Amino acid sequence: MLLIRCPYCEEERPELEFRNAGEAHVVRSANMAATSDEDFEKYFFIRSNPKGVIYERWRHIHGCARFFNAVRDTVTDKFVMTYKAGEPKPKKLPGVAK
Amino acid sequence: MAASYRISGAGRFSHAKVAKFSFDGRPYAGIEGDTLASALLANGVHLAGRSFKYHRPRGILSAGAEEPNALVEIRRDAARRTPNVRATVQELYDGLEAASQNRWPSLSFDVGAVNDAFSPLFSAGFYYKTFMWPKTAWKSLYEPKIRAAAGLGVAPDQPDPDHYAARFAHCEVLVLGGGAAGLAAALAAAETGVRVIVVDEQADFGGALRFEAGARIDGQDGWTWAQGVVARLKAMDNVRVLNRTTAFGYYAQNFIGLVERVSDHLAAPGRDLPRERLWQIRAKKVVLATGAIERHMVFADNDRPGIMLVSAARTYLNHYGVAVGRNVGIYTANDSAYAAALDLKKAGVNVAAIVDLRDNPSGELVDQARAANIEIHDGRAVVRVGGKLRVNSMTVQKRTGGGERTLPIDALLMSAGWTPSVHLFSQSRGKVAFNDEVKRFLPGTYAQDCVSVGACNGTDGLAASVDEAYAAGAKAAKEAGGKAAKSAKPKVEASEGWSRGMLGAAPGAGPGTTVKAFVDFQNDVTAKDIRQAVHEGMRSIEHVKRFTTNGMATDQGKTSNMHGLAIAAEELGKPIPQVGLTTFRAPYTPVTFGSIANHARGALFDPTRRTTTHGWAEKHGAVFEDVGQWKRAWYFAKAGEDMHAAVNRECVTVRKTAGLFDASTLGKIEVVGPDAATFMELMYTNPWQKLAPGRCRYGLMLREDGFIYDDGVVGRLAEDRFHVTTTTGGAARVMNQMEDYLQTEFPQLKVWLTSISEQWAVVAVQGPNSRKIIEPLVEGIDLSDEAFPHMSVREGKICGVPTRLFRMSFSGERGFEVNVPADYGEAVWEALWAEGQKHGACAYGTETMHVLRAEKGYIIVGQDTDGTVTVNDAGIDWAIGKKKADFVGMRGMMRPDLVAPGRKQLVGLKTKDPNVVLEEGAQIVADPSQPIPMKMIGHVTSSYWSENCGRSIALGLVAGGREKMGQTLYVPMPDRVIEVEVSGTVFFDEKGERLNG
């Protein structure tokens, strides 16, 4: 069972308290009505599904109930870092050589 | 019966009490402290089971968890029958009943053993090749036969009466393995003051010190030292010592699963003890001290009862005081067997000869053996053994061939060397590396915060292991925040040497031979099978493993993996690392379902949610149905009524006078804040800004993809306050979707969401007399149609308690939903019931609620929709706010396929014969005479008998359904074809006049 650090509670809690909520930084258009079919496809269906570092949303559903973002390695399952919803994609990741 | 192989003065339980037991109905005596295996051996019993595939007689191979052969059933009573228990692990208790498995009619005469004679038929890949053809025979012939023949033990057929406990624990240092290395590591860590947990699977700590008689540490023999360390550790407040506990799984971030066997070793466990305890431990640091497992020699008929591992025989002698024979042969490729020979000789057992594959073995132990006049046949191999149910001779030949010599024996001990137990390391996702010099896989790259010490790390020799372990324990503790260790590390004064061994088939079982030289005992895989797999094209060890099933039994190849790999590598002409090692997976040894399921069974499997009127409903004949976790009253049967009669009566009564229905399970969310209406506009398809406070509206929620997600009536209590209801099953996911958008997409909105599902109990009062029923109880609300029209909400009092009173209807009748704080739910229901009685009202359940809403064509999300139904498909376009710039699902529902013609649309279905009730889920076709498979154009989503309509009614999704009004379609059933006419969805009171009736 993974330990996940909730950026709002500021502590590591067991995975059971959290729920994954899909890929992060997928921007919902401010003008949905004018979104083209291609853009809507990208927004709603297309996900990066990388082997390696993924940016994803989690919810501390059985804790503070907040949504936040996390950087996780899909190969090792290790969390690189977590950060609050609305914060930009981190440019530098601790401990990840790029 | 005399325990004739018990050596007086030997072993550690010589003064223990006698424990009587039975095996296959025969009574025997052992002593407390024995395992079933040691007790059987003390009685001269080696034959313990039959093998899986060939039904060959099998004995006891090992003295530990790696045992592949001696699997038995342990019976306490009719419900407590545990199959596939390793006799080497099961501790003896007085009255233990064991039975052999996989034999009929008896262990010594087993009809299934004909498989052995026909073994050429059952070679590797037999199942894959043979049962391919003819195709139809698989289902009718092969599968049932294989199912009947497969498996070892028989699963118990009664519910498990035992209970199982679970504990979570945290520590700085977790030491897995309680041999010399593990104890040294635990001691070093414990003395720094950090929390330490040390675990061993055996009843007693000590590991290999159980048999290694030559070890001396800190002035004591090794075993005594180990018991002293355990006593010291137990006395420390920061240390938890767990014996009889197996670490079965190593999961992410040093999360370890363990099972503690609490009472399987007790004669009368008592109800207060759990059978097993599941431990889930999170450790900052893990020290792996899991030791090594001895390998057998791979030679012809190496599975005969009486042939066992050298370390096992030595354990039986030195720990249990049992000689495994009186005239014992030894077959080895390494030094550790010599120490066993010396111990046996000292105990008065004749050692017929040591057969050593190596030329001119040398060293202290070899010299001692020579000095003790033990015959050593070096450079030789055991090429044959005599005896079927028990080995009675061994035939020795020079490794390179030549003359043979046969020696009588009654037991044969073998050792091909030791395999480091890297199972848990590998489970931790660490990568093993092959050490070519010593021909073994050792921990290589670590993936987690753990360290391997001692034999599992390839460290040979007791002194080196203890040094390494002590240093590792101290370092782990220090890194986890401990102080410097206080005392000196244990000093090893004497130990026995470990040296290499061999991998693969021994002489006489090499390429080109057809003998049965077993690699994997539990799955009956021979050296020949592995070679055959290579000949048939398997190249990777993963393929060889699956083709032959080598290492795939419950012992997970603890003794067989390395031999199998070496034989495959030799046959492929490749070095071992290029052929690869199979992946180790949890569990290390089999884990009971009981310990995993633990308390989560029966009533505790899932929470049960009951409404405030549950007790009342029970008293009034309610039959309940499960709706998610809720228990909901399904219908209220009066004496003599079946469900059909009860539902008919309830349906008619509601429309004639009135009915009471507990609607408390509906999800309820309070949406509050200055931007509440803006938020509601984004979440729901409907417009909300202009909804006046005090009014209600049917709300429809989509997912972003444009499909219907949930619905419910929403009341606006104030400009900034909405009381939102959801479906019973949708409450949690609607709340989640709202929170998601509020927190991440529209965080600028000042809105707060609160789940109030359990805070408000809801009584629906529906029917022409509903107002008369509530009127006497309500205070402060004008209930007239003018002041309180359909789809309104008011706050006031009922029975003196606060209420949010909704004028709304899911029945098509004049109706109210009385929300009261849940604490008053039952009392208000009782009061309403008393009023209702004056008007002949009934209580009704979910079935009647369903029928009444279907008569009105009201959809149920999740029944008439399935996640692929659009607003237009459901025919409720009126619920979309046409002027809105955005709402969730607005763009999704404009996708080309969602607006294409020919989509399935919700329509009514009337059977031509009004008495026929369709089956929900039945498929609909346009032409019933077309060939099978027919083109299905839709299906029935809801179907009931409607007493109010005097006929059956149904809703269905039909392709282009609204253009097919009045047309005849067909519902093919197994026994007939039912004709239906496509109709509108409203079957009763089409004009909706009764809402104010």
Side-chain angles (χ1 to χ4, degrees):
Chain A
M1 188 164 43
L2 296 168
L3 285 174
I4 301 173
R5 181 179 174 81
C6 172
Y8 295 97
C9 299
E10 297 185 337
E11 64 174 331
E12 287 196 321
R13 305 293 302 165
E15 189 184 340
L16 291 176
E17 294 184 8
F18 298 85
R19 187 171 298 165
N20 183 286
E23 189 158 353
H25 301 293
V26 177
V27 179
R28 188 178 190 274
S29 169
N31 189 358
M32 281 303 268
T35 307
S36 68
D37 282 346
E38 291 72 29
D39 286 347
F40 184 77
E41 182 193 27
K42 274 182 207 148
Y43 160 69
F44 190 74
F45 293 104
I46 307 300
R47 294 294 179 263
S48 62
N49 194 25
K51 180 179 181 182
V53 169
I54 188 171
Y55 296 79
E56 55 191 8
R57 300 172 345 116
W58 284 78
R59 186 179 184 200
H60 194 186
I61 190 160
H62 301 301
C64 66
R66 301 292 293 269
F67 283 85
F68 60 91
N69 292 328
V71 188
R72 186 174 60 92
D73 188 319
T74 60
V75 178
T76 63
D77 242 9
K78 278 185 184 156
F79 278 77
V80 178
M81 63 180 294
T82 57
Y83 52 102
K84 291 177 180 174
E87 289 180 3
K89 211 169 180 170
K91 289 207 177 85
K92 270 190 182 171
L93 297 179
V96 175
K98 263 276 161 85
Chain B
M1 183 177 290
S4 53
Y5 285 81
R6 190 80 63 185
I7 309 272
S8 96
R12 303 192 170 102
F13 308 103
S14 45
H15 302 293
K17 276 196 283 185
V18 169
K20 294 203 167 114
F21 71 103
S22 72
F23 181 58
D24 280 345
R26 280 193 66 178
Y28 295 99
I31 56 174
E32 286 183 356
D34 264 334
T35 60
L36 175 60
S38 69
L40 286 170
L41 292 169
N43 288 281
V45 177
H46 277 257
L47 177 61
R50 287 271 173 175
S51 73
F52 175 63
K53 194 156 106 181
Y54 301 132
H55 288 245
R56 284 170 68 102
R58 287 286 163 81
I60 294 160
L61 180 77
S62 72
E66 68 270 34
E67 179 62 34
N69 282 338
L71 305 181
V72 299
E73 178 177 287
I74 303 292
R75 298 170 180 164
R76 281 193 193 266
D77 53 42
R80 292 178 176 86
R81 295 190 297 113
T82 312
N84 299 329
V85 174
R86 288 151 295 160
T88 53
V89 171
Q90 175 65 50
E91 291 172 59
L92 196 68
Y93 54 80
D94 193 48
L96 181 142
E97 263 183 67
S100 59
Q101 303 180 152
N102 208 27
R103 83 289 184 272
W104 185 84
S106 76
L107 186 53
S108 52
F109 178 74
D110 172 23
V111 168
V114 294
N115 281 3
D116 196 20
F118 290 119
S119 63
L121 287 176
F122 296 116
S123 65
F126 167 71
Y127 293 101
Y128 302 125
K129 293 170 199 159
T130 311
F131 300 118
M132 295 291 286
W133 184 91
K135 218 172 162 183
T136 48
W138 174 254
K139 221 172 152 184
S140 57
L141 180 65
Y142 298 141
E143 198 188 358
K145 293 285 170 206
I146 294 170
R147 288 245 175 271
L152 279 165
V154 180
D157 53 9
Q158 293 187 25
D160 185 347
D162 289 317
H163 66 106
Y164 299 78
R167 286 285 298 271
F168 287 88
H170 297 260
C171 64
E172 273 68 46
V173 180
L174 173 62
V175 181
L176 302 177
L183 289 173
L187 194 60
E191 283 172 343
T192 70
V194 300
R195 291 171 300 172
V196 174
I197 299 176
V198 56
V199 173
D200 195 85
E201 64 187 354
Q202 299 281 348
D204 296 300
F205 280 73
L209 298 171
R210 284 201 300 169
F211 61 81
E212 200 177 315
R216 285 196 73 77
I217 308 173
D218 289 343
Q220 298 165 296
D221 76 88
W223 175 261
T224 309
W225 170 83
Q227 304 320 305
V229 172
V230 170
R232 276 171 68 191
L233 290 170
K234 278 185 176 165
M236 296 165 88
D237 289 340
N238 58 324
V239 181
R240 187 187 291 279
V241 177
L242 294 172
N243 61 339
R244 295 191 179 94
T245 303
T246 302
F248 64 80
Y250 196 133
Y251 303 98
Q253 287 170 290
N254 278 352
F255 189 69
I256 316 289
L258 311 94
V259 168
E260 179 186 3
R261 290 171 298 279
V262 180
S263 60
D264 268 357
H265 64 291
L266 300 176
R271 293 296 297 156
D272 54 332
L273 280 182
R275 182 175 170 223
E276 294 178 329
R277 183 177 289 122
L278 177 73
W279 287 87
Q280 293 171 80
I281 299 181
R282 180 83 66 177
K284 285 220 174 91
K285 306 273 178 180
V286 174
V287 178
L288 296 164
T290 48
I293 291 172
E294 197 171 25
R295 292 186 302 276
H296 58 281
M297 297 289 277
V298 179
F299 60 98
D301 296 326
N302 59 344
D303 62 329
R304 293 305 186 204
I307 305 181
M308 61 166 55
L309 297 174
V310 168
S311 61
R314 214 176 161 206
T315 303
Y316 290 121
L317 178 66
N318 292 341
H319 192 69
Y320 298 103
V322 173
V324 299
R326 302 199 198 287
N327 182 31
V328 174
I330 293 179
Y331 184 20
T332 187
N334 75 96
D335 279 356
S336 58
Y338 286 80
L342 289 162
D343 287 352
L344 286 163
K345 183 99 184 181
K346 219 180 290 172
V349 176
N350 185 50
V351 178
I354 298 176
V355 181
D356 195 327
L357 265 181
R358 301 170 299 179
D359 289 318
N360 303 314
S362 62
E364 201 183 319
L365 283 166
V366 180
D367 295 341
Q368 284 179 31
R370 285 211 175 87
N373 289 324
I374 297 172
E375 262 185 60
I376 299 172
H377 299 271
D378 67 327
R380 284 171 171 77
V382 174
V383 292
R384 213 164 40 250
V385 292
K388 237 182 166 181
L389 298 178
R390 173 81 182 262
V391 66
N392 59 26
S393 73
M394 63 175 178
T395 300
V396 181
Q397 189 185 35
K398 263 199 162 163
R399 213 176 54 203
T400 47
E404 293 179 349
R405 195 179 146 202
T406 299
L407 301 170
I409 49 171
D410 63 357
L412 176 56
L413 317 183
M414 55 185 170
S415 177
W418 293 80
T419 307
S421 288
V422 294
H423 307 77
L424 290 171
F425 169 79
S426 179
Q427 281 186 31
S428 81
R429 293 193 174 188
K431 291 234 173 0
V432 293
F434 190 70
N435 184 321
D436 204 45
E437 193 196 337
V438 288
K439 300 274 182 243
R440 56 195 180 190
F441 283 99
L442 296 173
T445 312
Y446 282 82
Q448 298 204 37
D449 207 346
C450 60
V451 58
S452 301
V453 297
C456 73
N457 195 36
T459 307
D460 294 325
L462 186 60
S465 287
V466 167
D467 281 1
E468 176 182 66
Y470 191 84
K475 180 166 178 274
K478 196 178 164 215
E479 286 172 3
K483 300 173 295 236
K486 277 179 277 181
S487 73
K489 74 178 176 206
K491 195 161 170 252
V492 176
E493 288 133 8
S495 69
E496 295 162 5
W498 296 55
S499 68
R500 299 159 200 194
M502 58 94 67
L503 291 170
T513 60
T514 58
V515 296
K516 279 208 187 69
F518 285 92
V519 175
D520 180 332
F521 293 109
Q522 200 178 345
N523 264 355
D524 272 348
V525 180
T526 64
K528 181 173 150 271
D529 291 331
I530 290 173
R531 289 188 199 104
Q532 190 190 334
V534 171
H535 288 168
E536 298 198 9
M538 310 302 141
R539 288 294 174 268
S540 149
I541 195 64
E542 295 287 355
H543 296 150
V544 172
K545 165 181 161 177
R546 280 157 184 82
F547 194 68
T548 61
T549 71
N550 190 56
M552 287 172 70
T554 56
D555 71 334
Q556 291 204 32
K558 290 185 177 63
T559 50
S560 65
N561 276 343
M562 289 308 296
H563 281 320
L565 179 55
I567 293 165
E570 183 192 17
E571 204 66 12
L572 285 163
K574 282 184 183 173
I576 283 174
Q578 278 188 30
V579 182
L581 185 67
T582 55
T583 310
F584 294 101
R585 293 195 175 86
Y588 173 70
T589 50
V591 175
T592 60
F593 283 114
S595 65
I596 299 293
N598 225 280
H599 295 298
R601 57 185 223 174
L604 297 180
F605 178 68
D606 201 27
T608 300
R609 302 172 82 184
R610 295 184 177 89
T611 70
T612 56
T613 64
H614 191 90
W616 186 94
E618 273 180 331
K619 273 181 242 152
H620 288 77
V623 175
F624 293 90
E625 71 166 335
D626 290 337
V627 181
Q629 293 170 332
W630 287 103
K631 297 279 175 202
R632 299 194 75 180
W634 194 11
Y635 57 92
F636 291 82
K638 288 188 171 176
E641 277 184 341
D642 60 5
M643 176 176 174
H644 188 65
V647 171
N648 285 349
R649 172 183 50 75
E650 291 171 15
C651 285
V652 170
T653 308
V654 173
R655 297 217 186 278
K656 207 174 90 195
T657 163
L660 265 60
F661 172 70
D662 187 336
S664 304
T665 64
L666 287 183
K668 296 176 275 293
I669 299 167
E670 201 155 301
V671 179
V672 183
D675 296 322
T678 308
F679 180 70
M680 288 296 293
E681 295 246 318
L682 288 163
M683 287 296 100
Y684 284 83
T685 62
N686 321 67
W688 299 97
Q689 298 284 15
K690 289 183 183 157
L691 182 70
R695 295 310 305 262
C696 301
R697 182 161 282 165
Y698 169 79
L700 188 61
M701 178 179 268
L702 309 184
R703 292 183 311 211
E704 201 69 89
D705 60 8
F707 293 121
I708 293 173
Y709 192 52
D710 202 78
D711 68 353
V713 169
V714 177
R716 189 169 194 173
L717 299 171
E719 280 294 329
D720 61 352
R721 188 173 296 260
F722 291 85
H723 179 115
V724 175
T725 66
T726 75
T727 58
T728 295
R733 62 169 184 260
V734 169
M735 184 74 178
N736 190 64
Q737 171 149 315
M738 284 188 178
E739 281 287 354
D740 192 348
Y741 279 94
L742 181 59
Q743 289 183 33
T744 67
E745 293 294 347
F746 314 120
Q748 75 281 4
L749 297 180
K750 289 194 167 66
V751 176
W752 289 264
L753 304 172
T754 309
S755 167
I756 51 169
S757 299
E758 294 184 348
Q759 279 62 36
W760 293 95
V762 185
V763 184
V765 186
Q766 303 277 310
N769 286 326
S770 55
R771 183 162 59 195
K772 289 180 198 153
I773 292 171
I774 65 166
E775 214 158 23
L777 307 175
V778 174
E779 299 162 49
I781 301 172
D782 182 348
L783 297 177
S784 68
D785 283 345
E786 297 71 40
F788 192 31
H790 179 59
M791 293 302 264
S792 303
V793 60
R794 296 287 181 272
E795 291 180 90
K797 283 193 166 181
I798 187 165
C799 307
V801 304
T803 181
R804 286 179 180 177
L805 184 62
F806 284 73
R807 169 100 192 259
M808 57 178 281
S809 175
F810 199 44
S811 64
E813 301 297 322
R814 171 191 296 280
F816 300 88
E817 292 200 356
V818 182
N819 286 250
V820 292
D823 285 350
Y824 305 112
E826 191 179 13
V828 171
W829 172 280
E830 294 261 19
L832 288 165
W833 175 249
E835 287 300 322
Q837 292 297 87
K838 297 174 192 168
H839 301 277
C842 67
Y844 66 98
T846 51
E847 187 65 17
T848 291
M849 177 270 284
H850 276 116
V851 176
L852 295 175
R853 67 88 202 176
E855 288 172 348
K856 293 296 298 175
Y858 299 151
I859 65 163
I860 287 189
V861 171
Q863 175 165 347
D864 301 301
T865 72
D866 59 5
T868 67
V869 175
T870 67
V871 183
N872 183 264
D873 296 344
I876 46 178
D877 295 70
W878 51 262
I880 296 174
K882 303 288 186 298
K883 292 177 193 157
K884 287 163 62 169
D886 193 8
F887 58 82
V888 172
M890 185 191 64
R891 179 61 186 84
M893 65 184 236
M894 296 177 343
R895 290 183 291 148
D897 281 356
L898 273 65
V899 295
R903 287 188 60 82
K904 288 183 183 172
Q905 296 170 325
L906 193 72
V907 291
L909 299 168
K910 287 180 176 168
T911 50
K912 288 280 164 79
D913 177 348
N915 292 312
V916 172
V917 181
L918 293 168
E919 268 190 42
E920 287 175 357
Q923 296 293 323
I924 299 166
V925 301
D927 171 14
S929 54
Q930 63 186 302
I932 292 171
M934 296 188 189
K935 182 176 167 52
M936 295 175 284
I937 60 168
H939 64 275
V940 179
T941 60
S942 293
S943 175
Y944 311 92
W945 172 258
S946 165
E947 189 73 3
N948 287 313
C949 298
R951 59 157 301 127
S952 73
I953 58 169
L955 298 171
L957 286 164
V958 176
R962 288 199 288 273
E963 287 160 21
K964 292 188 166 70
M965 286 298 148
Q967 291 183 19
T968 299
L969 298 176
Y970 302 88
V971 178
M973 299 302 289
D975 56 338
R976 60 182 167 161
V977 173
I978 302 169
E979 278 182 74
V980 298
E981 185 190 309
V982 180
S983 72
T985 54
V986 184
F987 300 94
F988 187 85
D989 181 31
E990 273 192 61
K991 290 183 184 155
E993 290 160 341
R994 299 178 66 90
L995 287 168
N996 295 307

